[in-house]
Amino acid sequence: MTGFDIVFINGTVGAGKSTLAEAIGELEVRAGQPHAVLDLDHVRRCWPSPADDPFNHALELRNLRDLAANYRQAGARHLIVAGVIEERPAVARYQEALGSTAILLVRLVVEPAVARDRLQRRHADDEPGLRWHLDRTTELAGIIDAAGLDDLVLDSSHEPPAVLAEKVRTAAGW
């Protein structure tokens, strides 16, 4: 697998998508590779979301078009994206929005106990948010698993992000 301009890190909540994206970005800096890191949680964060689009995917794609164009105009050759893809048709929508020639789809999996621990730390002061994320973890893992979109699957339960980042960069041909 080579020639990818986008690495899309997919996975359930608590899998470590954002952490891995940052680790890949750090390796890109060390390698002198112009790049940008995009966390889709931030790209689509707007309240309230439409009733028919509770995760703001339409807004996310509109924002990605502009962000990707701006990053590429600024010289970024690689885009590292942390987010969630639940179904095959969404891959083409992301590829178009990102102006991509080839996306490497990396799925992070995580042991349930590790995801629970990460989410408990993240939502220590937000009991309703914690409950929602704990419920969503299992549901989303099943949805992503059933979609079967993965080019590369990595377990983030116990491996350091820097090690996983090296594996992703190798798979992407970077």
Side-chain angles (χ1 to χ4, degrees):
M1 293 187 242
T2 59
F4 295 99
D5 62 332
I6 307 282
V7 165
F8 193 111
I9 305 161
N10 195 22
T12 191
V13 294
K17 299 178 300 292
S18 299
T19 300
L20 179 56
E22 290 296 329
I24 297 167
E26 287 301 316
L27 292 179
E28 288 283 277
V29 168
R30 290 186 205 145
Q33 288 296 323
H35 70 284
V37 176
L38 296 129
D39 189 325
L40 298 187
D41 284 344
H42 299 289
V43 171
R44 63 190 166 103
R45 185 167 289 167
C46 184
W47 187 89
S49 58
D52 64 341
D53 186 10
F55 295 106
N56 277 326
H57 289 299
L59 175 63
E60 175 184 79
L61 290 170
R62 285 194 313 271
N63 287 343
L64 276 179
R65 282 181 187 87
D66 291 339
L67 285 170
N70 290 338
Y71 284 134
R72 290 186 190 285
Q73 193 172 50
R77 293 182 49 226
H78 299 154
L79 299 180
I80 304 150
V81 181
V84 175
I85 298 179
E86 296 183 27
E87 59 184 7
R88 184 159 304 282
V91 176
R93 291 191 294 270
Y94 283 108
Q95 190 162 0
E96 186 275 325
L98 291 163
S100 174
T101 56
I103 296 177
L104 177 69
L105 292 170
V106 178
R107 179 173 177 203
L108 280 188
V109 296
V110 62
E111 295 171 5
V114 173
R116 185 174 48 253
D117 181 60
R118 290 174 182 171
L119 292 169
Q120 286 172 332
R121 283 192 310 253
R122 185 186 309 164
H123 299 282
D125 297 330
D126 177 19
E127 184 63 32
L130 174 61
R131 280 195 311 276
W132 186 89
H133 283 87
L134 288 173
D135 290 342
R136 182 70 170 147
T137 299
T138 304
E139 173 191 26
L140 188 55
I143 291 168
I144 295 170
D145 192 41
L149 306 171
D150 322 313
D151 295 316
L152 176 66
V153 178
L154 298 172
D155 189 329
S156 69
S157 300
H158 305 289
E159 196 131 32
V163 172
L164 296 173
E166 287 284 3
K167 291 178 181 182
V168 171
R169 288 188 77 246
T170 298
W174 294 357

